[in-house]
Each structure stands twice: as C-alpha cells, then as structure tokens.
Amino acid sequence: MQPQMMLELIDVTKLYRGRKRAIDGLTLELGAGLLGLLGPNGAGKSSLLRIAATVTRPTSGKILFNGTDVVARPNELRQTLGYLPQDFGVYPHLSAREFLSYLAAVKGLSARSARSRIDELLELVNLTEAAKRPLGGYSGGMLRRVGIAQALLADPRVIVVDEPTAGLDPEERVRFRNLLSDLAADRIVLLSTHIVSDIESVASDIAIMAQGRLRRRGTPEELLGTMNGQVWETVVDPAEAARLQARYVVSRTIRTAVGVRVRLLSSGPPTADAIGVPPDLEDVYLGVVPGSGAHTSELPAVPR
Ligand SMILES: Nc1ncnc2c1ncn2[C@@H]1O[C@H](COP(=O)(O)OP(=O)(O)OP(=O)(O)O)[C@@H](O)[C@H]1O
Ligand SMILES: [Mg+2]
C-alpha cells in the first residue's frame, strides 16, 4: 500500500522585491485528491503554485512534504513532482515527440521507458497525429497539451498545474478534466484556474483565494451551503436591471422576451417577486471575492 502523502503549506508569505505581498500568511494542507484553486487575476495563485513546485522560496512560512521541510530539502518532492507553469515555454524547432524525449532524458528516464511513456502521453493529450510537427506551428491549446504531457512524464505523485486549461477547446477541456480526476485517485493534484466551470465538475475540494489569502476551502456542497438563501432571480425592465446591478452583486443577466432576468446575491428578496434559487459555484465565487462583481454593500458577510 502507498503511504499517505501530505503536502502542507504553513503560514506562507511571499513578498516580491521585499514589498509586494503576493501571499499573505496562507495555510493549506493537501492530501491525495484534486484541489481546485480559484481566484481572480493577481490573487497569488501562481506564486503559491511556484512555491509548492519548489521553484520559488517563500519569504516566510513552512512547506512540508510528508513531514520533510521542502525549503531545506526539496529533492524528495522534486523527484516525484510534475509541474506545468502558467508561462510554460517550448523549443519551437523540436517536434512534440522530440521535445518530450529531451525532457525525459533531462529527468533521467531511460530511452526505452521514455519511448513508451511518450506514446502513452501523446495519446492521452490527443497529439499523436501532430507529434512529428515542429512545436513552432502548434496552436496555443496544442502547446498547453504538450505542457500537460511533460508534467506527467515521470509519473509524478504530486501534480501542480497552473491554468492548465487556458486555451483548450471545450472537448479538450473535458478530456483533461477527466484525466486529472483519474490521476487524483492516488496522487496530490493542485490545479489553479479563474474559470469556475473548470473546477465545478472535477474538484471534490475547492480553495478560493484573493489578495494573497485563503478565503474559503471546502467541498462544493460545503461552499454552496454558505450561500443558501442568498441567491435570487427576478425579471425586471432594463432600467430596474441597471439599478439592481448598481446595488447588488449580480452574477448573471439574461435578456428575455419579457424583460431582463437578473440573478443576484442578497440576504433577502431584492424585489417583491424575486424567487430564491439554489446557489451555484459562480455565485459562491462572486460572494467571496471582493470586487469581482458589482457592489458588495448589500451582501452580508458569508458565514464560514
Ligand atoms: N516576479 C514577480 N515580481 C513582482 N511581483 C510579482 C511577481 N510575480 C507576481 N507578482 C505580483 O504578485 C501578485 C500575485 O501574482 P500571481 O501571478 O501569483 O497571481 P495569480 O493569481 O496567478 O494571477 P493570474 O490569474 O493573473 O495568473 C500580483 O500582484 C503580481 O503582480
Ligand atoms: Mg497566475
């Protein structure tokens, strides 16, 4: 049996150039499974993932992998880590197969095991057909898939992927989500995104961060529960819709034949005929992350 794996980030702070506080006293424990990290631009997701992937040191705080201090002794984690950085780059003159062979050699895989592993991975990310073409001619989504493949080369037990689905078309997105949830059965997978729907269908564990801090952590059901009774839909004329948008966090507006259907967050009914609706993850996200919707003044603090 595999021993229990555990990656712990304890009170981690990251200051850039000694000033910019990208991560602010964040504590996060990860066991086997997929943790989806959600947050707006600049929340500190990439900074956190770089620290978890041992390519940036925290300014203060501790990172433990199975109890070992990762800052002092990073190799135990590095040996079993697959990392896809947000700004992953490739060598444009190499084909996908050549590029993966190159990285396999760098990672110390034998030529023979590399060959079969690369075949398998190319198939997994749906690039078998294109595998001989130079990467310089690949689309953004195809390059992202090469990035996913390289992260999985050495069959890592810890997988850290930063916005892995950026640029993927819907079909590839679904394919990748399924792949990651399979992998997460017996691995630690940490995935960042600012796309709520990417996480909704795969993550049994979600963390929402903003301004360098962890704002929420829980199962989708737990997070949805925090917004029960606070999501409303109402159909109004366009002028009233504009007024509602100025007063409330509005998660959706849809123009219909009979008016504008507005979905918003409020502790009580915003209009006489508003109907309470079950929250979705998008509502939770907008409720938690200040400034990502309209005004938050009407929204009570969401209980923890
Ligand atoms: N190398 C760096 N030097 C200085 N500041 C940085 C550096 N990297 C990130 N920052 C700053 O730290 C904060 C967090 O950035 P980070 O890239 O971690 O956020 P993010 O959540 O990944 O955002 P995005 O969704 O845009 O990728 C931002 O204010 C950013 O400008
Ligand atoms: Mg980022």
Side-chain angles (χ1 to χ4, degrees):
M1 214 179 86
Q2 285 269 336
Q4 277 291 327
M5 278 186 304
M6 180 75 85
L7 183 61
E8 296 166 87
L9 297 112
I10 303 162
D11 199 16
V12 168
T13 290
K14 178 69 188 177
L15 304 179
Y16 287 110
R17 295 189 203 98
R19 281 186 302 129
K20 170 75 210 173
R21 195 171 281 268
I23 302 179
D24 191 6
L26 188 146
T27 295
L28 194 62
E29 244 179 49
L30 298 99
L34 175 69
L35 175 66
L37 180 65
L38 261 177
N41 293 141
K45 303 182 296 296
S46 294
S47 301
L48 188 71
L49 265 52
R50 284 196 292 267
I51 289 171
T54 79
V55 296
T56 301
R57 283 193 194 88
T59 308
S60 65
K62 257 201 163 119
I63 299 110
L64 302 178
F65 179 53
N66 299 335
T68 301
D69 183 334
V70 168
V71 176
R73 296 173 52 204
N75 284 359
E76 190 185 327
L77 175 55
R78 283 176 181 169
Q79 277 158 9
T80 190
L81 175 77
Y83 174 45
L84 172 63
Q86 187 169 0
D87 54 2
F88 174 71
V90 297
Y91 303 118
H93 298 290
L94 297 184
S95 70
R97 186 179 293 281
E98 287 166 338
F99 181 66
L100 292 172
S101 306
Y102 168 79
L103 291 180
V106 171
K107 284 177 197 257
L109 270 68
S110 76
R112 175 192 279 200
S113 65
R115 203 169 311 122
S116 60
R117 181 74 182 142
I118 289 167
D119 284 342
E120 196 177 69
L121 286 170
L122 286 168
E123 198 62 43
L124 217 50
V125 299
N126 207 14
L127 286 176
T128 305
E129 301 279 295
K132 289 186 176 158
R133 280 161 43 194
L135 294 171
Y138 273 36
S139 71
M142 289 165 84
L143 289 173
R144 212 64 200 143
R145 278 140 63 190
V146 174
I148 292 162
Q150 66 76 36
L152 301 177
L153 257 180
D155 193 19
R157 314 312 290 175
V158 180
I159 299 170
V160 176
V161 281
D162 199 350
E163 311 260 357
T165 55
L168 297 191
D169 62 35
E171 202 180 324
E172 289 304 331
R173 229 167 243 272
V174 171
R175 194 183 173 95
F176 179 65
R177 284 197 291 229
N178 293 340
L179 168 62
L180 274 192
S181 59
D182 286 350
L183 289 168
D186 55 354
R187 295 174 179 82
I188 295 176
V189 180
L190 175 57
L191 172 154
S192 80
T193 181
H194 53 267
I195 302 166
V196 175
S197 61
D198 266 354
I199 289 208
E200 209 156 25
S201 48
V202 285
S204 50
D205 189 6
I206 296 170
I208 301 179
M209 88 181 272
Q211 294 168 325
R213 290 168 181 251
L214 188 66
R215 296 295 164 100
R216 288 290 183 281
R217 164 103 188 249
T219 63
E221 294 71 29
E222 284 166 348
L223 296 183
L224 294 174
T226 63
M227 292 299 285
N228 266 340
Q230 299 183 52
V231 186
W232 302 86
E233 280 190 6
T234 182
V235 179
V236 294
D237 63 44
E240 176 66 7
R243 274 194 293 277
L244 291 173
Q245 269 186 306
R247 277 190 74 183
Y248 296 95
V249 175
V250 168
S251 60
R252 235 159 292 164
T253 57
I254 303 166
R255 276 180 188 273
T256 70
V258 291
V260 184
R261 181 190 302 280
V262 181
R263 183 184 176 101
L264 55 76
L265 312 184
S266 169
S267 52
T271 58
D273 53 2
I275 295 169
V277 293
D280 63 25
L281 210 52
E282 190 95 36
D283 300 318
V284 175
Y285 181 62
L286 290 175
V288 169
V289 176
S292 60
H295 294 281
T296 51
S297 57
E298 290 292 313
L299 185 74
V302 182
R304 269 185 179 275

